[in-house]
Amino acid sequence: MKYQANKDGFYGEFGGAFIPEMLYHNVAELKENYLTIINSESFQTEFKDLLKNYVGRPTPLYHAKRLSEKYNATIYLKREDLNHTGAHKINNTIGQILLAKRMGKKRIIAETGAGQHGVATATVCALMDLECLVYMGEIDIARQAPNVARMKMLGAEVRPALSGSRTLKDATNEAIRDWISNPVDTYYLIGSVVGPHPYPDMVARFQAIISKEMKQQLKAQTGNEYPDKIIACVGGGSNAAGAFYHYLDAENVALIAVEADGLGVDTGETAATTQVGSEGIIHGSKTLLMQNNEGQITEPYSISAGLDYPGVGPLHAHLFKSGRGTFLGATDNEALAAAQELTRLEGIIPALESAHALAALKKITLQANETVVVNLSGRGDKDMETYMHKLNS
Amino acid sequence: MKQLFNTKKNILNIYLTAGYPKLEDTVKIVKTLASNGVDMIEIGMPFSDPLADGPTIQNSSTVAINNGITIRKIFEQIAQIRQTVKIPIVMMGYYNQVLQYGANAFFERAKVVGVNGFIIPDLPLQIFQEKHQKQLEQLDLTMTFLITPQTSDARIKQIDALSTGFLYVVSSFATTGSKSALKQEQIKYFERIKALDLKNATLIGFGISNKATFDTACAYANGAIIGSAFIKALENTNDVKETTARFVKGIRA
């Protein structure tokens, strides 16, 4: 349990709940109830049923033979891209919506950057017939039009965040403010392993299904449930948290987190938090974040909107600082090349986020007999405009 | 500060964002507030991501950051203010700013320039106890925590025990700058707090915007804090001194 949150939500020195008193009651209510509810039999029955019959789990663990040949290792892809709505995000929204219902909440709010979490939230709200309001930075609304349309078709209101830099961090601020103003009937459905305790732990538990299945599938396919390496991209870090979860204490399994270097770590246009960030507090959590020496949080940059967050979840800060995790980065161009490569080798168009994880294959030393799992967190449909632009240039 | 709360009623505490509307306005504004009879000053340390604040204060913070405000600059401005202004000054900001400055150095420097206390809304009680309480006691600096309509009586008592200076009574479910008159349920909450017989003085804040809401708040607490309404008044002014004086007269009339 070295890498799990303690009762106050700390992973080593990271985590906790650094929140104004106006949020105390909401967060305390959640903290007091989440474990009891999600461990209950009725919750687990409903959760498992929806994951199987609605989301389409288990997702395949696919032995990518041509990719393996190219990199001279045994490479598996965990196909989270095959989930309903196209990414791992729905594992968490299904879990939290069932929790919100059991807590008697009537109104769901969420933040979204690229819109994947917003779509996953709008989807489960439609399913459960709950009111849904998604905060999204004004700038992101303009550059992610298809997802905005999906959310609206699903019945959600998409409200622009007009403050600050008008991107994901500001959408998160606005969602938190909404929760402060509507503490009784509203549930804040956070999309990543960020925010005040218990969110990082709760979201990691819902995403842990990824590594739970991975273990069973590896056992069945190779006879050994432990791979040598697991690779996942990290923005806030929810897909990586899920892919690592059941291997955290298996120290012989290398956990490789890949951040978005953007134009390059040293260019100032990057989202590689562990490389350019420092310890501090963002959205109620003590973690690593990108900031100036005044403590003002700075704007990240990545071609991938899902990795464009100026912090990492406290679990990842702990994995980084303790050395349990290996943190690498991939630039925009490296990710684009990796996306192209996977598409042509395996006939799978990955999301730009997941392409960052694939790009790490070039950056690690691989042995012929090694087993590597890359968590393919999402599909590339939403990124076609970017890919087409690249192909035509 | 103790003396102020022991001897005065209807305490008017005005919040301003340091470095707003212009970088060098802070000193002028505070001097004008003090000479017009304001009892206490709350100086906001502009932060990029102020979770407890509404759009008015966030926008003023963005302007001030773009003006080039820094914590060091705020300390310089307070030192200048202290050459003539004697009323209590508290600094309001977010914990990340304090951590990046270095908490020990921050509190020491604040003492040197003449700050009396702090409001750091996202500083958890437990972290305060473990890391900062002792230093603040030694420096004779106060720490004010917030209470809200959802804070239980037991927790209010715990917060009262840890707070020094005064308690910040958040008037409603809202971030700063929300308007409308004080409603019956808010009055009930103020009465509940009054009945708890707390050791600290209480100042009501959030939604106090004019003479009417100020007077109502004063009936249930030692006074009130006005922030967003004052920042709004400064938004389009050409003459910060005149606007400041007029604003205070409007409340105290």
Side-chain angles (χ1 to χ4, degrees):
Chain A
M1 296 293 284
K2 240 166 99 181
Y3 302 101
Q4 299 283 2
N6 71 15
K7 70 171 175 47
D8 296 320
F10 278 94
Y11 299 85
E13 64 196 274
F14 299 109
F18 294 80
I19 49 170
E21 184 64 22
M22 293 87 91
L23 281 176
Y24 180 85
H25 181 83
N26 302 17
V27 171
E29 184 188 20
L30 193 57
K31 191 173 92 176
E32 281 153 23
N33 289 301
Y34 83 110
L35 286 178
T36 315
I37 293 175
I38 68 181
N39 289 329
S40 71
E41 205 185 313
S42 87
F43 180 97
Q44 282 298 325
T45 305
E46 199 176 351
F47 185 50
K48 282 176 187 159
D49 175 68
L50 284 170
L51 288 183
K52 178 167 182 244
N53 298 309
Y54 184 72
V55 176
R57 301 202 72 95
T59 59
L61 184 75
Y62 166 67
H63 181 199
K65 292 182 193 68
R66 293 187 67 206
L67 193 69
S68 298
E69 223 165 83
K70 162 118 199 199
Y71 287 99
N72 195 30
T74 307
I75 300 173
Y76 288 87
L77 302 176
K78 182 58 176 161
R79 298 291 309 275
E80 292 302 298
D81 60 318
L82 295 177
N83 283 321
H84 179 43
T85 73
H88 71 290
K89 290 289 185 189
I90 197 151
N91 301 330
N92 168 49
T93 60
I94 293 271
Q96 287 199 55
I97 206 77
L98 294 179
L99 180 68
K101 252 181 56 176
R102 281 165 172 75
M103 289 173 71
K105 303 293 179 179
K106 306 276 180 248
R107 179 174 174 270
I108 306 299
I109 57 171
E111 82 296 333
T112 197
Q116 291 303 104
H117 173 58
V119 168
T121 303
T123 299
V124 296
C125 285
L127 180 68
M128 297 293 164
D129 192 23
L130 288 167
E131 184 188 340
C132 180
L133 172 58
V134 179
Y135 286 92
M136 188 169 184
E138 194 182 27
I139 289 177
D140 290 333
I141 287 179
R143 62 182 178 184
Q144 305 289 340
N147 273 342
V148 174
R150 291 167 82 193
M151 286 185 268
K152 287 183 177 165
M153 185 163 175
L154 287 158
E157 182 192 343
V158 181
R159 197 174 286 178
L162 304 171
S163 63
S165 53
R166 293 173 289 150
T167 57
L168 175 57
K169 99 180 158 67
D170 307 285
T172 308
N173 291 338
E174 293 302 327
I176 291 173
R177 287 191 183 124
D178 182 306
W179 206 24
I180 287 175
S181 304
N182 301 285
V184 180
D185 65 337
T186 297
Y187 181 89
Y188 179 22
L189 206 162
I190 294 187
S192 192
V193 286
V194 302
H197 177 63
Y199 281 103
D201 180 54
M202 178 168 66
V203 176
R205 284 168 188 265
F206 289 140
Q207 293 295 359
I209 183 75
I210 299 172
S211 49
K212 191 179 171 195
E213 288 174 3
M214 223 188 258
K215 271 192 156 180
Q216 293 160 352
Q217 291 165 324
L218 278 170
K219 179 90 180 162
Q221 293 183 41
T222 71
N224 181 358
E225 61 188 41
Y226 296 99
D228 296 291
K229 296 181 168 79
I230 301 172
I231 306 176
C233 64
V234 171
S238 69
N239 92 76
F244 296 167
Y245 196 89
H246 288 286
Y247 295 102
L248 287 169
D249 292 318
E251 308 240 1
N252 53 336
V253 179
L255 305 178
I256 299 169
V258 187
E259 293 178 299
D261 283 350
L263 299 184
V265 172
D266 301 321
T267 62
E269 298 293 323
T270 181
T273 302
T274 62
Q275 306 305 307
V276 301
S278 54
E279 292 173 20
I281 291 159
I282 181 170
H283 297 136
S285 181
K286 188 169 185 211
T287 185
L288 294 167
L289 64 132
M290 291 168 57
Q291 57 185 330
N292 67 19
N293 54 17
E294 283 286 311
Q296 309 293 0
I297 298 170
T298 54
E299 253 323 276
Y301 164 78
S302 165
I303 193 172
S304 147
L307 301 180
D308 208 354
Y309 181 72
V312 291
L315 163 66
H316 296 297
H318 183 49
L319 294 179
F320 176 76
K321 192 151 186 196
S322 65
R324 175 69 186 95
T326 303
F327 282 71
L328 305 175
T331 63
D332 290 358
N333 285 335
E334 289 166 342
L336 287 165
Q340 180 71 10
E341 181 180 83
L342 183 75
T343 304
R344 292 300 174 88
L345 287 176
E346 300 288 349
I348 297 170
I349 301 177
L352 263 170
E353 291 77 17
S354 322
H356 284 74
L358 291 161
L361 288 169
K362 286 197 190 330
K363 301 181 178 231
I364 55 177
T365 322
L366 291 167
Q367 314 289 339
N369 58 352
E370 272 190 334
T371 304
V372 180
V373 179
V374 180
N375 196 38
L376 199 69
S377 55
R379 68 176 87 125
D381 307 27
K382 70 185 176 58
D383 299 311
M384 284 319 295
E385 201 179 319
T386 310
Y387 289 149
M388 290 311 294
H389 184 77
K390 191 68 191 172
L391 281 175
N392 295 333
S393 66
Chain B
M1 204 185 303
K2 206 172 262 170
Q3 198 196 342
L4 175 68
F5 288 116
N6 286 339
T7 54
K8 261 196 106 171
K9 282 181 180 170
N10 303 344
I11 288 164
L12 174 59
N13 181 347
I14 298 266
Y15 166 96
L16 72 152
T17 304
Y20 179 85
K22 302 257 165 52
L23 182 62
E24 303 297 344
D25 283 340
T26 317
V27 177
K28 262 188 277 184
I29 293 172
V30 174
K31 284 184 176 173
T32 312
L33 288 170
S35 63
N36 281 277
V38 166
D39 301 302
M40 257 185 100
I41 306 286
E42 183 183 332
I43 296 184
M45 300 156 39
F47 183 49
S48 55
D49 296 74
L51 289 185
D53 290 300
T56 304
I57 289 179
Q58 174 156 22
N59 290 341
S60 70
S61 300
T62 306
V63 171
I65 292 166
N66 291 338
N67 287 345
I69 197 72
T70 60
I71 304 291
R72 276 157 197 85
K73 182 80 190 167
I74 298 172
F75 283 143
E76 280 169 31
Q77 293 179 335
I78 294 174
Q80 223 183 317
I81 289 163
R82 270 291 177 240
Q83 291 171 5
T84 53
V85 173
K86 303 297 173 210
I87 58 173
I89 296 175
V90 298
M91 293 176 85
M92 185 272 173
Y94 288 81
Y95 193 41
N96 194 46
Q97 301 174 280
V98 176
L99 289 179
Q100 299 317 313
Y101 190 99
N104 288 344
F106 176 86
F107 293 125
E108 276 168 21
R109 184 73 195 142
K111 178 69 183 179
V112 170
V113 300
V115 171
N116 301 94
F118 306 93
I119 303 168
I120 305 172
D122 61 343
L123 170 61
L125 301 180
Q126 198 186 336
I127 304 281
F128 169 69
Q129 273 179 295
E130 285 168 11
K131 301 201 164 160
H132 308 301
Q133 190 175 21
K134 203 170 154 202
Q135 187 191 8
L136 291 194
E137 270 172 21
Q138 283 165 353
L139 293 172
D140 190 26
L141 293 168
T142 66
M143 182 62 78
T144 287
F145 288 98
L146 279 59
I147 56 179
T148 80
Q150 284 198 308
T151 312
S152 68
D153 287 358
R155 186 165 164 85
I156 291 176
K157 285 182 176 157
Q158 188 194 357
I159 290 170
D160 183 46
L162 278 178
S163 288
T164 46
F166 66 96
L167 282 181
Y168 195 131
V169 179
V170 176
S171 66
S172 64
F173 298 155
T175 50
T176 55
S178 34
K179 43 175 187 267
S180 83
L182 296 170
K183 295 192 193 84
Q184 198 50 41
E185 60 193 273
Q186 289 172 279
I187 302 294
K188 264 191 205 150
Y189 153 64
F190 299 153
E191 281 169 346
R192 170 165 76 92
I193 292 163
K194 213 172 172 182
L196 286 173
D197 197 21
L198 303 171
K199 82 167 177 123
N200 281 286
T202 51
L203 294 180
I204 295 175
F206 289 47
I208 311 301
S209 58
N210 52 28
K211 182 169 163 46
T213 43
F214 178 71
D215 289 346
T216 310
C218 287
Y220 297 95
N222 298 70
I225 304 170
I226 301 181
S228 299
F230 180 55
I231 298 299
K232 256 186 206 141
L234 291 173
E235 237 162 44
N236 296 311
T237 181
N238 296 317
D239 185 343
V240 291
K241 283 189 191 173
E242 196 269 335
T243 304
T244 301
R246 189 153 37 88
F247 186 85
V248 177
K249 281 176 192 139
I251 305 295
R252 274 280 155 89

